[in-house]
Amino acid sequence: HVQLVESGGGSVQAGESLRLSCKISVDTPGDYSLAWFRQTPAKEREAVATIFSADGRTSYVDSVKDRFTISKDNAKSEWFLQMNSLGPEDTAKYYCSTERCSYFGTWSLLTGSYTNWGQGTQVTVS
């Protein structure tokens, strides 16, 4: 059983920053891919960034590279998405997601790779 709780969304002006948090609770210990996705009513859910719980390796989609940073705090069972230089194109509902895994790879940016999702938090940039 996996439980995910997001926080940190809100409304900001273009150029400002937000930090999203996701707290995880799992029954099965192990290594996990920890991910952030986003979705708007007009688009399918898309990956934003992922991080491997075992060693901190990260992966980002091109549209957020150099602006967003994913990080984790294993001791607190949380991971984060620091979003800088936000623009209206970043407006979406953001979801954290996780999947237990034995290796980290390109699969971690695929929506269909995940079965565990948070409830989502809205980010609006105007």
Side-chain angles (χ1 to χ4, degrees):
H1 177 70
V2 176
Q3 186 173 17
L4 304 171
V5 179
E6 299 122 335
S7 61
S11 296
V12 297
Q13 298 292 315
E16 295 184 341
S17 300
L18 277 175
R19 188 189 195 214
L20 306 182
S21 299
C22 185
K23 189 161 183 68
I24 183 173
S25 174
V26 299
D27 293 338
T28 304
D31 298 326
Y32 285 79
S33 176
L34 312 172
W36 288 98
F37 287 75
R38 64 186 180 186
Q39 187 172 20
T40 68
K43 294 176 67 177
E44 294 185 352
R45 193 169 298 187
E46 63 175 4
V48 176
T50 65
I51 187 168
F52 191 33
S53 66
D55 60 15
R57 277 179 290 159
T58 59
S59 186
Y60 297 88
V61 295
D62 288 344
S63 59
V64 306
K65 282 180 181 176
D66 301 324
R67 298 191 300 124
F68 291 10
T69 302
I70 189 170
S71 61
K72 63 182 178 68
D73 185 335
N74 284 355
K76 295 183 179 180
S77 299
E78 280 189 275
W79 69 100
F80 311 95
L81 186 67
Q82 177 66 43
M83 304 185 292
N84 299 329
S85 301
L86 284 161
E89 69 277 10
D90 298 312
T91 294
K93 194 164 189 178
Y94 284 71
Y95 297 86
C96 63
S97 182
T98 190
E99 201 66 30
R100 192 163 179 256
C101 61
S102 58
Y103 72 97
F104 189 67
T106 55
W107 67 267
S108 67
L109 288 174
L110 300 176
T111 307
S113 298
Y114 295 85
T115 58
N116 305 296
W117 296 89
Q119 79 281 3
T121 185
Q122 180 67 35
V123 171
T124 302
V125 186
S126 59

